[in-house]
């Protein structure tokens, strides 16, 4: 339980960093309030949507203000090391990748343990990971991240499905977290590197 | 009850077809993931918003994965017959019209039977029908369907109001469904055909 | 209790007026349905999001249709005096300012009295005030009001924090309402007048 909590807080910090980085790239919302708001929505949007869809109250961050402080901490980190970090923009993409991997697995497991169908768990895991970014993009009038070229949400779905299969076979939780999370990160990194994309519908 | 279930599944398939058709017209989200995501949001967005506003948990599709399969089935149908169906784009608008008629009546009745005020029932019926499309349009940065020229949401409101009146007079449920649903479809088809629009506010 | 109810209804009317005024400025949604829909979302969007995040059911306007009638009344007022009011567009901004002041305080107090942490109460107070406008702007594809230049949401946060401090010191409720509400209105009016803005993140 303690380790899961650390991961949730870590995922929140990581998403706040990637959210405030993304906010800086937008033409709008570049003042302190705007960046904070966007980092906030990026961090808590996906998990909040999941819990509101599942009717699982109270929402995690509403019941535990440490998540709010984690977001502020992530934004502050970003601000302090901005000039330094700006050169490593590409490498920082890894924060977002870590965030989606963590949130997919945590969201899938939570939904499953609330007693919902595995198909719902996979969808909710993916929602937890990507919908915060989708809300951020809708707020700033940009094309939602899930519709851009390189594989993104599909990597989360693949990781969620692997998690569900290993869970079925009683694979140890920590091992399952590592394997499923690594799959998401590997697919995402390779997709960006080799410009992988999903086949066209038509 | 069984007939209502068939209608709900049918409405979902119909909305998945119209959603994946609409996704194909957008400049974004044209790969398999994007089309599936958009069809999914179009199908379940309105009903989910209604149930989240009413606090009516669990959401229909979360409790019964057949709705998820219905969406996949609609998308697959669309994919298989795409070349054929593409010529009949205008006629396919009928799927969307059937979808909004079905969902308006089902949403209005559900809200009423949960014990809410008829005014709320009419609003929720209209939301069930149109908000999935609104979310789809917000996701793809287009003007929401309800703000375009021809009468759309107002047809749903008219059908919901007719349903509420006939319900008050104890008209048989099946007859009420047929009459109210037909009113929505008739207004919508005539509106497109004769370019009817709502008077300007100013 | 009675006074709070009057304020809530008043805030709803005031937001419906400012919402239908804003709808008239947009390139979309200028027919009767569009303006009504936008005024509706502007009025009830923030409070609905707050209650859905907190899991506080039933939503205020769903349980009491007077809020719906208040919205219609606000829209009607706007329509009747449109030609007259159009000249006083700048002065009408005051309606929006009154609306955000009222809704911030009401939202902060409600969250606090539901037993949530003061940090959550401040966030929810601000959400109550600004998220209806954010939804309106997302629907009409414009830059959300909170990201525009002059101080807006931050004024709400400042008022919510003052309310929380005075609440802690057992200041009389009416006095607290007047002081905290005035702070929000003062900051907002001065920000527009003197073009105050939040410092840039970078």
């Amino acid at each position: 339980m303690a380790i899961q909590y650390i991961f949730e807080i870590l995922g929140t910090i990581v998403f706040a960093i990637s959210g405030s980085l993304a906010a800086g790239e937008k033409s709008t919302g570049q003042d302190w309030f705007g960046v904070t708001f966007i980092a906030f929505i990026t961090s808590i949007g996906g998990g909040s949507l999941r819990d509101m869809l599942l009717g699982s109250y109270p929402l995690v961050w509403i019941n535990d203000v440490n998540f709010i402080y984690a977001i502020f901490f992530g934004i502050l980190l970003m601000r302090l090391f901005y000039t330094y970090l700006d050169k490593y923009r590409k490498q920082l993409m890894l924060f977002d990748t870590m965030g989606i991997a963590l949130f997919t697995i945590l969201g899938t497991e939570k939904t499953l343990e609330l007693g919902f169908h595995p198909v719902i768990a996979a969808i909710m895991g993916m929602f937890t990971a990507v919908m915060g970014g989708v809300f951020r993009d809708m707020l700033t009038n940009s094309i939602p991240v899930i519709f851009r070229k390189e594989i993104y949400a599909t990597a989360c779905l693949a990781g969620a499905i692997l998690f569900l299969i290993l869970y079925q076979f009683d694979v140890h939780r920590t091992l399952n977290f590592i394997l499923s999370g690594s799959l998401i990160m590997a697919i995402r990194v390779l997709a960006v590197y080799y410009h992988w994309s999903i086949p066209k519908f038509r």
Side-chain angles (χ1 to χ4, degrees), chain A:
Chain A
M1 209 53 200
I3 288 172
Q4 171 163 354
Y5 188 71
I6 291 166
F7 273 129
E8 284 181 350
I9 291 284
L10 215 72
T12 306
I13 296 174
V14 154
F15 256 6
I17 292 175
S18 104
S20 49
L21 187 74
E25 288 170 12
K26 309 285 180 183
S27 56
T28 53
Q30 298 194 329
D31 60 28
W32 268 93
F33 175 80
V35 170
T36 306
F37 191 88
I38 289 171
F40 184 81
I41 297 294
T42 310
S43 298
I44 57 95
S48 300
L49 179 68
R50 176 201 63 215
D51 289 344
M52 288 162 79
L53 287 170
L54 298 177
S56 163
Y57 288 101
L59 303 199
V60 180
W61 59 276
I62 283 179
N63 217 29
D64 178 0
V65 277
N66 284 340
F67 285 92
I68 311 279
Y69 301 147
I71 294 171
F72 287 145
F73 181 69
I75 296 166
L76 214 66
L77 269 187
M78 193 64 212
R79 180 63 196 85
L80 288 174
F81 302 108
Y82 205 98
T83 350
Y84 180 77
L85 291 174
D86 208 27
K87 293 175 224 159
Y88 300 96
R89 194 162 275 275
K90 263 201 169 162
Q91 288 77 353
L92 282 173
M93 193 214 73
L94 276 173
F95 278 98
D96 187 68
T97 305
M98 280 167 54
I100 59 170
L102 261 169
F103 275 25
T104 299
I105 309 300
L106 290 170
T108 306
E109 193 188 37
K110 181 175 180 177
T111 310
L112 207 59
E113 297 197 337
L114 284 169
F116 294 99
H117 193 282
V119 168
I120 300 298
I123 295 173
M124 290 301 149
M126 186 260 284
F127 271 19
T128 311
V130 307
M131 291 307 284
V134 169
F135 292 146
R136 173 196 67 210
D137 295 333
M138 287 170 80
L139 271 171
T140 52
N141 292 317
S142 23
I143 296 167
V145 59
I146 51 167
F147 296 145
R148 288 177 216 150
K149 263 199 289 279
E150 285 88 6
I151 287 169
Y152 190 83
T154 322
C156 299
L157 276 178
I161 290 167
L162 179 61
F163 179 86
L164 290 165
I165 292 171
L166 298 179
Y167 186 95
Q168 198 63 34
F169 285 105
D170 281 321
V171 170
H172 189 278
R173 192 172 175 238
T174 313
L175 185 63
N176 194 350
F177 261 65
I178 293 169
L179 290 175
S180 310
S182 303
L183 180 66
I184 297 172
M185 293 181 67
I187 295 179
R188 175 68 183 145
V189 168
L190 291 171
V192 170
Y193 199 81
Y194 292 108
H195 302 287
W196 287 351
S197 58
I198 304 288
K200 292 276 162 207
F201 183 66
R202 271 198 269 192

